[in-house]
Amino acid sequence: MVEHILNLKNTALNDINLAQTLSELEEIRVKYLSKKGEVSLLMGKLRDLSPEERPAFGQQVNVLKESLEVALYQKKQVLEDQALLLSMASEKIDVTLPGYQFYQGSLHPLNQVIEDLEDLFVGMGYEVAEGPELENDHYNFEMMNLDKDHPARAMQDSFYTDETMLLRTHTSPVQARTMLAKKGEPLRIICPGKVYRRDDDDPTHSHQFTQIEGLVVDRNITFANLKDALLKMVRHLFGPERMIRLRPSYFPFTEPSVEVDVTYIKKDGSIGYIEILGAGRVHPNVLRMGGYDPEIYQGFAFGVGVERIAILKYKIDDIRHFYTNDLRFLRQFKGVNK
Ligand code: DAH
């Protein structure tokens, strides 16, 4: 038996020694050390031995196994080194070729506007809230004080998947969802997200666009608080010299409601106004449906189009640039907010 082990060892070491390539070496490993290899077969012979002979035999086979493993490992290193040297000698590198230019990605301009506004409002104690894009009629309209045959629905509703579900037409349903989730606690949120409406294919409209909704509900909230939040937002976005103008308007979910214009300098040097968002004091019905007593709690809300902000801020002439992912367009916005 001992002799048999010795023979096996010698042949195996000899095989390993003679191996020329890594794949030959692997074949040798399989031949000797795999589950059905020679060393396992030898172990199998334990059964034929008497109990006294077994420990010594088992130990010798283990020693054999270890020495083969060591030899295989060492030979593998040698062959790998050889292979590397060989490939370095045969492959040529032309060090005179110019380097490859590579581009670092950057945030989409719309996401830059969203992140910028999130930073601003989170700094003022707001939380960022989100809601589903496929929304229930109940949240999208009814809880926003637009019941089933409210005429204002006609301006918006477009993409229904069945009787009750539609692609949300604005981020306002997140107001309703958050109010219910807060169960009567005061809240301050902003909610960025995609919204959907049928629209003409023209340079200023898209069937899918992005909004940021703001909502504050607390005691003693007045229109002056809304004005403060809006002015801070506008100046943060467009510069400290900007002014805002609040024009009376109508939204079913706010009362009173305003449209908000921001000043800009016209070509002739005079001051003009451009509309950027809708806002108002939260309608008592909306508060009530959201679980707040309008006698105790008041709120303000606003909804702003992110594309519109980006168009004004970066002077973009066609809303469709945002969605075509043309790198020549996108690369211009790298780091513009920093
Ligand atoms: N939801 C309105 C829209 O999509 C925008 C809006 C106006 C949101 C006034 C508001 C608001 O929260 O108070 O046109």
Side-chain angles (χ1 to χ4, degrees):
M1 255 325 170
V2 177
E3 202 179 322
H4 184 66
I5 295 180
L6 257 184
N7 280 343
L8 189 64
K9 182 174 177 184
N10 286 337
T11 359
L13 289 181
N14 196 39
D15 283 353
I16 294 173
N17 210 12
L18 292 177
Q20 300 279 350
T21 63
L22 286 163
S23 63
E24 274 176 38
L25 194 66
E26 174 61 10
E27 278 172 26
I28 296 168
R29 189 194 64 78
V30 172
K31 180 173 172 204
Y32 292 99
L33 292 182
S34 66
K35 268 198 188 139
K36 290 183 183 155
E38 301 277 350
V39 175
S40 297
L41 290 179
L42 210 53
M43 261 311 183
K45 295 221 160 44
L46 263 185
R47 264 179 271 123
D48 307 337
L49 297 176
S50 65
E52 304 83 55
E53 290 171 314
R54 280 182 194 173
F57 179 80
Q59 203 184 4
Q60 282 165 358
V61 178
N62 277 333
V63 171
L64 165 69
K65 193 177 165 206
E66 266 168 40
S67 52
L68 294 190
E69 277 169 354
V70 170
L72 276 167
Y73 176 78
Q74 285 170 346
K75 182 72 183 198
K76 194 171 173 210
Q77 302 288 312
V78 172
L79 289 177
E80 277 176 354
D81 286 354
Q82 277 175 5
L84 183 65
L85 284 177
L86 211 71
S87 73
M88 289 202 317
S90 63
E91 290 164 17
K92 288 201 180 61
I93 296 173
D94 182 353
V95 292
T96 65
L97 278 174
Y100 289 115
Q101 186 177 7
F102 67 97
Y103 292 102
Q104 193 187 353
S106 57
L107 275 185
H108 191 280
L110 296 177
N111 285 334
Q112 292 199 31
V113 172
I114 290 176
E115 290 205 354
D116 188 28
L117 285 178
E118 283 180 358
D119 280 352
L120 173 73
F121 280 99
V122 166
M124 299 195 292
Y126 288 59
E127 288 172 47
V128 178
E130 280 181 351
E133 285 170 39
L134 185 60
E135 184 56 284
N136 199 305
D137 180 285
H138 179 68
Y139 294 109
N140 195 78
F141 290 127
E142 281 177 42
M143 286 202 60
M144 299 317 293
N145 206 26
L146 283 118
D147 56 24
K148 283 272 184 276
D149 17 69
H150 197 293
R153 282 187 179 213
M155 290 181 336
Q156 298 195 348
D157 62 343
S158 306
F159 301 114
Y160 283 89
T161 58
D162 61 29
E163 294 285 296
T164 52
M165 301 299 285
L166 79 164
L167 291 177
R168 67 179 175 193
T169 62
H170 50 183
T171 42
S172 303
V174 187
Q175 290 192 20
R177 287 178 172 275
T178 313
M179 281 193 273
L180 292 177
K182 290 278 180 187
K183 296 196 165 54
E185 291 284 311
L187 63 88
R188 293 175 187 212
I189 50 163
I190 54 160
C191 337
K194 297 193 186 86
V195 301
Y196 302 82
R197 276 178 213 181
R198 71 172 163 277
D199 246 319
D200 299 330
D201 193 21
D202 74 51
T204 57
H205 289 94
S206 160
H207 62 283
Q208 181 226 292
F209 60 104
T210 323
Q211 284 188 332
I212 294 187
E213 189 86 11
L215 173 70
V216 170
V217 179
D218 208 334
R219 291 164 198 256
N220 306 322
I221 295 294
T222 70
F223 222 91
N225 299 129
L226 169 65
K227 189 178 163 192
D228 173 69
L230 294 175
L231 193 61
K232 283 200 172 110
M233 173 162 78
V234 162
R235 290 188 169 167
H236 177 80
L237 286 169
F238 300 111
E241 71 289 351
R242 300 290 182 134
M243 299 293 289
I244 54 174
R245 179 172 73 179
L246 308 184
R247 261 184 304 107
S249 182
Y250 171 76
F251 298 103
F253 26 89
T254 43
E255 180 58 37
S257 305
V258 286
E259 267 165 342
V260 182
D261 304 334
V262 57
T263 52
Y264 73 102
I265 311 282
K266 291 190 190 166
K267 285 209 178 87
D268 65 6
S270 63
I271 289 187
Y273 287 95
I274 184 155
E275 183 202 322
I276 59 157
L277 59 89
R281 285 218 329 151
V282 182
H283 196 290
N285 288 349
V286 173
L287 284 172
R288 217 173 281 119
M289 285 185 274
Y292 294 83
D293 179 351
E295 297 297 324
I296 303 172
Y297 285 98
Q298 302 80 40
F300 66 76
F302 58 88
V304 46
V306 178
E307 280 80 352
R308 171 151 279 208
I309 300 280
I311 282 173
L312 293 174
K313 194 167 155 116
Y314 305 128
K315 305 195 170 53
I316 293 162
D317 58 1
D318 190 328
I319 197 172
R320 290 166 294 198
H321 285 314
F322 290 123
Y323 315 119
T324 45
N325 283 337
D326 184 335
L327 289 177
R328 290 168 305 178
F329 173 76
L330 295 177
R331 283 194 186 123
Q332 298 175 44
F333 299 94
K334 196 169 165 180
V336 286
N337 255 331
K338 297 295 159 218

